[in-house]
Amino acid sequence: IFAGKEDIYASLLEDSLKRLHSRVAKASASEADAFSALFKAANAFFDYYAATRFELDLGLYLFGEEKAKSLGRDRDTVLNASLFNSLDIFTACFRRLAPPEKPENWPVNERDALFSVLLGALMLSHTGRATSIGTQAKTILLTYLRGVEERIVK
């Protein structure tokens, strides 16, 4: 059924990304307000991976390696598209929030910043480093989201 371990790995990762998307989409769809939708979507992303460390490691291809490995161009393309299904929800929220004076690429830049904050906070949580610096990973995410809201309101 599988040609090799890369096929198994890709199948597991694709299933994980589908579950992630389902949670992020459901969370954002429950809110009409763009910031509330973003807040809920970001928290759904965080909560999903906070509860499933294996799937975070799977998504980052981390299993004891120093750098990410490719699963092959075709698999990587499919898996990246699956990840972007969730990230595009953040982009849509940022588009709705974008002040008129912001450049066209502002929503994508903000999405990328949020993704970086999410991954950083999750890594700090999973490694126990958040507590060693006197914080909690969720506090980092909430601080970032409050900062987004403050920058938009100004």
Side-chain angles (χ1 to χ4, degrees):
I1 191 167
F2 293 107
K5 66 181 178 179
E6 289 82 8
D7 285 344
I8 296 169
Y9 190 93
S11 178
L12 289 170
L13 183 52
E14 188 168 9
D15 289 347
S16 171
L17 290 168
K18 286 177 183 175
R19 286 188 297 274
L20 172 68
H21 178 259
S22 175
R23 299 225 181 135
V24 171
K26 183 178 179 182
S28 69
S30 69
E31 297 294 331
D33 173 70
F35 185 76
S36 295
L38 176 66
F39 183 87
K40 289 217 172 171
N43 276 279
F45 187 106
F46 180 91
D47 292 344
Y48 179 77
Y49 280 128
T52 58
R53 180 179 180 158
F54 170 79
E55 292 189 32
L56 178 64
D57 290 348
L58 184 70
L60 296 173
Y61 308 175
L62 281 182
F63 298 101
E65 300 294 326
E66 292 182 19
K67 63 180 184 173
K69 289 186 173 186
S70 172
L71 295 175
R73 183 177 294 169
D74 291 342
R75 285 188 202 99
D76 288 348
T77 298
V78 168
L79 294 169
N80 286 335
S82 292
L83 173 61
F84 271 100
N85 286 337
S86 295
L87 297 181
D88 286 345
I89 293 169
F90 300 152
T91 307
C93 291
F94 282 119
R95 278 205 175 93
R96 291 174 50 205
L97 291 167
E101 70 276 5
K102 295 292 184 186
E104 187 177 327
N105 63 339
W106 183 84
V108 172
N109 292 343
E110 288 294 329
R111 177 212 57 210
D112 294 347
L114 173 56
F115 183 57
S116 296
V117 168
L118 284 162
L119 289 182
L122 286 161
M123 293 304 292
L124 288 170
S125 173
H126 287 317
T127 61
R129 294 292 184 208
T131 54
S132 72
I133 61 170
T135 191
Q136 294 182 9
K138 194 72 169 246
T139 302
I140 295 167
L141 174 60
L142 297 177
T143 300
Y144 170 78
L145 291 170
R146 279 193 296 269
V148 168
E149 186 175 36
E150 288 173 9
R151 284 182 294 158
I152 292 169
V153 171
K154 287 184 180 182

